[in-house]
Amino acid sequence: MAALFSILPFADKSSLMMMIMMTIGVLNVAVSVNNDHSSNNRETADVVSGNGSKPFPWDKMRLPKHVIPVHYDLLLHPNLTTLTFTGFARIEITVNQQTSSVILHSKHLQITRATIQRRMRNTHTEKEVMVLEYPTFEQIALLAAFPLHVGQNYTVSIEYSANLSESFHGFYKSTYRTQEGEVRVLASTQFEPTAARMAFPCFDEPSFKARFSIKIRREPKHLALSNMPIVKSVNVANWLVEDHFDVSVKMSTYLVAFIVSDFKSVSKMTTSGIKISVYTVPDKINQADYALDAAVKLLDFYENYFSIPYPLPKQDLAAIPDFQSGAMENWGLTTYRESSLLYDPEKSSASAKLWITMIIAHELAHQWFGNLVTMEWWNDLWLNEGFAKFMEYVSVSITHPDLKVEDYFLGKCFDAMEVDALNSSHPVSTPVEDPAQIQEMFDDVSYEKGACILNMLRDYLNADVFKAGLVQYLRKYSYQNTKNEDLWNSLAHTCPLGDTQESQLQGDGFCTRNQQTSSSAHWTRREILDVTTMMNTWTLQKGFPLVTATVKGKNVHLQQEHYMKGSDSSPSTGYLWHVPLTYITSKSDTVQRFLLTTKTDVLILPEEVEWIKFNVGMNGYYIVHYEDDGWDALISLLKENHTAISSNDRASLINNVFQLVSIGKLSISKALDLSLYLKLESQIMPVFQGMNELIPMYKLMEKRDMDDVENQLKGYIVNLFKDLIDKQSWNDEGSVSERMLRSSLLLFACARKYQPCVDKAEEYFMKWKESNGTLRTVFIVNSVETLPNDVKTAVYAVGAQTIEGWDFLFSKYRLPWFNTERNQIEVALSISRNKDKLQWIMDQSLFGDVVKTQDLPHIIVYVAKNPSGYHLAWTFLKENWNKFVQKFELGSPSIAHMVIGVTNQYSTREQLAEVKEFFNSLEEKSSQLRCVQQAIETIEENIRWMDINFEKIKIWLQNNM
């Protein structure tokens, strides 16, 4: 599943449940229905009516392993008028341990009848069973009147009904408006992580893999989609068609999917004969071609890269009008938010093209990592998501080299480090039990950190060895479930081969390097490359190392410690990483390597150097402090010859220097001294990183009403990038990186009221408004100018500062042919200084008619970043908390995005007290959310940071402005 907020353009970046045996009332199963699915000698058991008092036979959150599902036969009939559905599930099971009950998952399903059938020679005996329900664990128990014997096969049959979900998970309702204004309804699914149980009773854990045969009943005007192709359609009545889908491969329940809609599609074949189709609402089918071409290229790439054929005959990509996350990897039927799949070459921005390509790459990577090989339990979610995130960059760099995705990878590592530096962070692999804890695993640590440590491992082993290990892992565990150590074992049994050394596979499965390399790297000592031990230091403990380098002549003294923010963030004891250091020096730009496995060590250089730069290209997940005059030498390098090191290296220095300020290793004046070089910078990642470090500083001041210094700092940042801003053309020319840089710089300049930018934007907005938003305006005779896509956000943001402009912009937002610009318009509407407008747009997003509720999380965060709106956003979050939880689910990335996004620029003790008071007033499950702990820690850090650094910033600005 692609997390929306990690790469959405413009978006900012444990308790174990006590399980108590309870006495549960018996679910009323007195309703009798006609059963066309019964077999030979049906014996009807007594049906218990009313509420009895039998104890539920299982007291754990995880299901027992006594019974294993083998095959599901599902029949579902959604009614898109009454917004309900009926279902029949027949589940073939095998018994591993004698039992008299079958425990499985069910949530919000009204079960009308349940039976268990046993097969004895040529006769089948079906008996109706009692059903107990335990809503706390979302479980039901089928109580058999006879023991279920080991090795025997049984069939469980359950009839049920339910409402289509009003949230974004389970089998849920979605709507869209046609160009004529008609509202149409469809039904779609989102089951990951624990919502398949909302559509059919099932063993809803990843390790209970089974095959699925699915039938869907629908009206003739609709079409049904599922994981597999349709094998036949039967007319049940004049008004009802039943589609039968082919039997699926063996897979987990969270990957099952089905859609009933009036979608249209476009299709192509891959080189290996897989049919790729993109489905969308009829009015947007002309926006499906880019995604179709990208999906064909990417699926071809993955089949070749993994050397494992895609196992299904088709791959559908469906754009769902209401969708909470970015996308979902359902096997053979991937589903997407519309903005994650649909691209209009004439209207979509460069960032939209990048986002769509990456998200498709993510979901198709999952067809191997996640679907073919699945983590055993959600504690190792990163085996799915970290790999898919990592493979986005590997695949797109080959299939779409023009996007230059490698420019953005280190930004993902910086995002991960931001949360991983907090005490409330968690290891990549961490225990989880209940659905809220599972939801919380879908965060930057699982996705971004997972991808970054995989990239580091690939750099350590080399790309070919890494790839060979992945292929071995996928082949060995196809259609199975895995743990952390299974991956490391696969990689450990593949030896690294480099240009300057030979490697050998030892009898114990570890690799050694024999030939000496240049430099005094530990690898020259016939060091055993124990991948498992090394990577356990990165996945089984939270956080990341700070490596301090002190140069003494030719000796570089190294020390590692746990980097952690906070007032009590004295170096943690017991934390130790195996850090694959890379470095270049003033004397050599050849990348050298050194494996640091102890707290301290000494690296001996062949000669003395003027400067040394560690973590080349930011390929490692660690930050570096250069003691003594180390930083001064690097700052001088940046000011005198910044292109001597790569743009990624420059971005990592910017990041590291400000992170060191946060833990008191450097003064803020040193970091600001380094930032002066940015006046010379033109590359996207150093510029973005500079803005990401500097802008939050004045945002903290906004919350303290420190206008004088705040305005001075704003002026400094504008002046820093003024020359680069002035060079930006107001068009759509250039590479994707150049276009994204232009879009961000112009939005920043206009927001900061840089007059040349504001004047140009106002001119564009007035002409666009005079043309009634047609995007084509005659300026002079025989000359037609369009509003460039990459400057739209800046133009809209300036136009929305007046009430008239805001109203006009919203009137266009409502129109279906502006759908590709909705994110840009939402940004503009949310940075108005008119509080009534800000409140109204949040209210509308909660109501969900014109503004989709799926967009609420980032709209409320946009408003929270607005100096005129942060009070409104916080009040809105508090007043609607229960509605948000009901709609988005407790622990979900959407909830986390709102909690952290609304509060992460607070910097006063009063604001901290208010946040603590509110969350302490909630029930324990809400108050103990990891995102709440992160929010509180962040505010505490902001207060501490401002108390220490504000006066120093003030003095530095006076001396350097």
Side-chain angles (χ1 to χ4, degrees), residues 157-267:
S157 298
I158 303 174
E159 298 177 23
Y160 61 96
S161 62
N163 295 322
L164 288 173
S165 172
E166 291 289 335
S167 65
F168 297 104
H169 42 276
F171 194 17
Y172 71 94
K173 176 195 76 170
S174 178
T175 63
Y176 73 94
R177 195 180 298 271
T178 67
Q179 290 186 357
E180 295 72 33
E182 177 192 357
V183 175
R184 293 185 181 175
V185 178
L186 61 123
S188 185
T189 58
Q190 170 60 46
F191 292 159
E192 189 179 31
T194 59
R197 64 194 68 174
M198 296 175 66
F200 55 96
C202 56
F203 298 80
D204 201 10
E205 295 179 7
S207 63
F208 288 108
K209 289 190 171 186
R211 294 178 181 271
F212 293 82
S213 297
I214 295 174
K215 303 180 185 71
I216 304 285
R217 289 182 175 177
R218 59 173 174 84
E219 292 182 57
K221 68 179 180 180
H222 292 136
L223 65 86
L225 299 172
S226 189
N227 305 83
M228 300 299 290
I230 291 177
V231 291
K232 70 174 180 178
S233 297
V234 178
N235 290 319
V236 178
N238 289 336
W239 51 271
L240 194 63
V241 178
E242 184 176 285
D243 292 323
H244 295 221
F245 295 88
D246 207 350
V247 182
S248 78
V249 294
K250 190 177 178 183
M251 64 184 185
S252 304
T253 49
Y254 77 87
L255 295 170
V256 175
F258 30 86
I259 303 169
V260 177
S261 69
D262 65 344
F263 285 174
K264 301 297 182 187
S265 67
V266 291
S267 302

Side-chain angles (χ1 to χ4, degrees), residues 2 126 199 500 615 682 750 771 801 810 824 933:
E126 183 179 29
T500 59
N615 203 358
S682 61
C750 285
S771 73
Q801 295 307 302
F810 185 74
Q824 294 159 298
Q933 307 311 310

Side-chain angles (χ1 to χ4, degrees), residues 427-485:
V428 168
S429 180
T430 198
V432 290
E433 285 288 328
D434 66 44
Q437 292 172 345
I438 293 168
Q439 283 276 7
E440 287 188 301
M441 290 297 289
F442 290 81
D443 66 357
D444 281 350
V445 172
S446 294
Y447 285 74
E448 272 72 18
K449 181 177 179 178
C452 292
I453 63 174
L454 288 171
N455 183 61
M456 179 173 65
L457 180 59
R458 182 176 70 155
D459 185 60
Y460 170 69
L461 294 175
N462 87 30
D464 290 339
V465 172
F466 181 78
K467 174 182 173 181
L470 297 191
V471 171
Q472 181 174 311
Y473 168 78
L474 289 171
R475 285 178 174 168
K476 182 175 182 179
Y477 296 107
S478 290
Y479 304 104
Q480 298 178 55
N481 297 84
T482 59
K483 299 177 181 178
N484 239 357
E485 53 264 33

Side-chain angles (χ1 to χ4, degrees), residues 1-6 168-169 323-326 337 439-440 442-443 853-861 877 881 884-885 887-902 929 931:
M1 182 162 62
L4 175 66
F5 306 107
S6 61
F168 297 104
H169 42 276
F323 203 84
Q324 182 172 342
S325 61
R337 183 179 279 235
Q439 283 276 7
E440 287 188 301
F442 290 81
D443 66 357
T853 302
Q854 66 176 12
D855 296 330
L856 186 152
H858 62 256
I859 286 177
I860 189 175
V861 172
L877 179 70
W881 177 259
F884 294 165
V885 169
K887 190 72 176 178
F888 297 107
E889 286 197 307
L890 196 66
S892 70
S894 298
I895 293 291
H897 181 69
M898 289 187 283
V899 170
I900 296 169
V902 168
L929 287 173
C931 64

